[in-house]
Amino acid sequence: MNSKFYLFNQLSKQQKIVTIGSWLGWSLDGYDLVLMFFVIPVISHLFFPSTNELLSLLSTFAAYVITLVMRPIGGAFFGNFGDKVGRKRAMMITIWGFSFATFSTGFLPTWDMVGVLAPILLVFLRFLQGFFAGGEWASGAALTMETVPKQSRGLLSGFLQSGFPFGFIIASLVFYFVSSTFSENEFAEFGWRILFFTGLIPGSVALFVRLKMEQSKVWLEKSREKKIHKFPLSQVLTSKEYRNRFFLALVIMTGLMYSYYTSLGFFPTLLQHFLHVDIVDSSKLMIFATVTSFIGTIFVGYLSQIIGRQKAMGVFAIASVILAIPSIYGLYHSTFYGQYISIVAISLVATTGFGAIPAFLSERFPTEIRNSAAGFAYNGGLFFGAIAPIIALNLSSQSLEYAPILLGLNIILGSVIILIGTKLNPETKEVDIEK
C-alpha cells in the first residue's frame, strides 16, 4: 500500500489535476448513468403504463439501452474531436452535456400529464446522455495516460476507472437517503426527481477542476508537428493494422460490458422486482456491491502493472466463471446476510476487469488516433453489451428453479468473451505511449 501512495505523491501538481479531473468526470458519468438503474422499477409505469408489469419494465430498459447504444457514437464523435483539437476541449463539452441531460430528466412530465410525449422526451434525454457520456471516457483516459509516468500507469488506470463505481456508490447512498426519507408513494410521486436534480452538483465540481487542466505534452507535440489527421477516426477504419487492433480490443470490451450490465447494472431491478427486497434494503446491498467494485477496480489496475494487463483481466474473468452461478444462487436463496456475501463476491470478479482498460487501450493505439480509437473501442463493446440487461430481465422471469442458473450462465458468457479477448490481444504494459 505504501508503494501506491508513493506513486501518487510522485505526481506533479498538473499530473494530479489531470488525474483528479478525469476521475471526477468518470465518477459523474457513473453517477448519472446508474441513477436510472435505481428508479427503473419505480418509473416504468409512469412513462410506459401497461397492465403487464414486465412489459413496462422492458420498455423502460429499452429506453435505457438507447443510452448505451448512443455511447459508441458519442465515443467516435468526441474521440475524433479530441484527437483534432485536444482532449481538454472535448472533456469540457462532454461534462456539461450529460450533466444537463441528467438534471433535465428530473423535470420530465409523466404519461398521465402529457401522454405519449412523456416516453418520447425520456428517450430524447437518454439519447443526449449516451452521446455525451460516450465522449467522456476516451478523452479523460487518453489525457491521463499521456500525462502520468509509465510506472504509475497501471495503478492510475485502475484509479481512473474506479470513478464509475465510485459514482455508483454515491448514487447508491443518495438513493438510500432519498428512499429512506420518503414513503414509497412519495418516492414514486416526486422523490425520483430529486435523484436526477442532484446530478448537477458533481458536474459543477468536475467542470471547475477541468478549467485548471492542461493539454498533454504528447498531443501538443504531435499537433505542432502537424501529424494529426483531419479525420483521425478514418485511420482507425481504413488502416488494416489499426482496424485489426480495434476489433481485437473490441472483443475484450464486449465481454466486460456484457458482464457488467448483466450483473451489477441489473442488480437493482433483480433485487426489487424479482427478489422482492424492499427499496431500502436493496439500496444497502447495492452500496456493498459498488464499494466492492470500486476497490476491486483499483486493485486490478495495480495488479496489471505487476503481471500485465491481459493476465490481470484474465484472472478475474476465470474467477467470475467459477463464482457466477453460486453467487446468483445465493442472491436468490440466502438470508439477507447471505445476500451480502453473494453480491460482494460476484461484484468483485465480474465488474473489476475494467481497471486495466484505460492503460491497455491507451497503449494499444498511437497518439494521433488514441482518443478516437480508444473511445470507439471502449464504447463499442456496448453494441452487444447493451442487450445484456434485457436478456437478464427475460431470464429473471423464469421459475425460481432455473432463473439463478440462467443468470449465472449469462454472466459466464461475458467472462468467456473476456478470456478469448485476453488471448487474442498482446501484452502492452511495456509500450512507450510517448512515441
Side-chain angles (χ1 to χ4, degrees), residues 32-54:
D32 286 359
L33 285 174
V34 302
L35 281 179
M36 187 73 170
F37 281 143
F38 288 112
V39 300
I40 280 177
V42 176
I43 71 170
S44 57
H45 69 279
L46 298 178
F47 290 90
F48 299 94
S50 172
T51 54
N52 186 332
E53 192 171 356
L54 181 60

Side-chain angles (χ1 to χ4, degrees), residues 212-414:
K212 301 180 180 182
M213 292 189 336
E214 298 174 359
Q215 299 282 14
S216 74
K217 294 179 180 179
V218 177
W219 181 84
L220 287 172
E221 183 178 344
K222 295 292 182 181
S223 180
R224 282 194 296 267
E225 295 172 354
K226 300 190 182 301
K227 291 185 177 181
I228 304 297
H229 199 271
K230 288 184 178 180
F231 188 52
L233 185 60
S234 66
Q235 290 185 285
V236 181
L237 303 175
T238 58
S239 167
K240 182 178 179 181
E241 179 186 358
Y242 296 146
R243 189 169 60 246
N244 287 341
R245 292 187 185 189
F246 167 77
F247 282 114
L248 291 179
L250 189 62
V251 175
I252 290 181
M253 292 315 310
T254 297
L256 285 169
M257 293 295 185
Y258 197 93
S259 293
Y260 187 92
Y261 285 101
T262 199
S263 58
L264 195 60
F266 180 67
F267 285 160
T269 298
L270 176 66
L271 293 170
Q272 293 177 48
H273 183 75
F274 293 101
L275 302 185
H276 306 294
V277 178
D278 71 62
I279 198 168
V280 175
D281 284 341
S282 172
S283 63
K284 291 178 182 177
L285 286 168
M286 290 308 301
I287 290 171
F288 271 82
T290 50
V291 168
T292 300
S293 184
F294 169 75
I295 296 172
T297 299
I298 297 176
F299 177 73
V300 170
Y302 179 67
L303 183 65
S304 78
Q305 194 65 34
I306 300 172
I307 67 174
R309 320 302 185 206
Q310 308 306 321
K311 288 182 180 179
M313 289 186 283
V315 166
F316 278 77
I318 291 171
S320 180
V321 170
I322 296 170
L323 294 176
I325 293 177
S327 296
I328 299 301
Y329 191 86
L331 276 179
Y332 269 79
H333 298 290
S334 295
T335 62
F336 184 66
Y337 293 104
Q339 288 179 320
Y340 275 111
I341 297 173
S342 297
I343 205 167
V344 164
I346 193 59
S347 298
L348 177 64
V349 296
T351 70
T352 57
F354 281 96
I357 290 299
F360 165 64
L361 289 182
S362 295
E363 292 159 350
R364 198 72 178 105
F365 301 101
T367 303
E368 304 94 293
I369 62 167
R370 181 169 294 126
N371 208 332
S372 305
F376 197 27
Y378 182 90
N379 292 288
L382 287 166
F383 277 125
F384 298 101
I387 65 173
I390 293 179
I391 293 175
L393 185 61
N394 281 281
L395 295 176
S396 299
S397 63
Q398 304 301 312
S399 68
L400 284 176
E401 183 180 358
Y402 297 109
I405 297 173
L406 293 174
L407 283 173
L409 289 173
N410 206 33
I411 295 173
I412 288 172
L413 173 60

Side-chain angles (χ1 to χ4, degrees), residues 105-119:
T105 303
F107 289 104
L108 285 178
T110 63
W111 182 282
D112 287 343
M113 297 176 182
V114 295
V116 72
L117 184 61

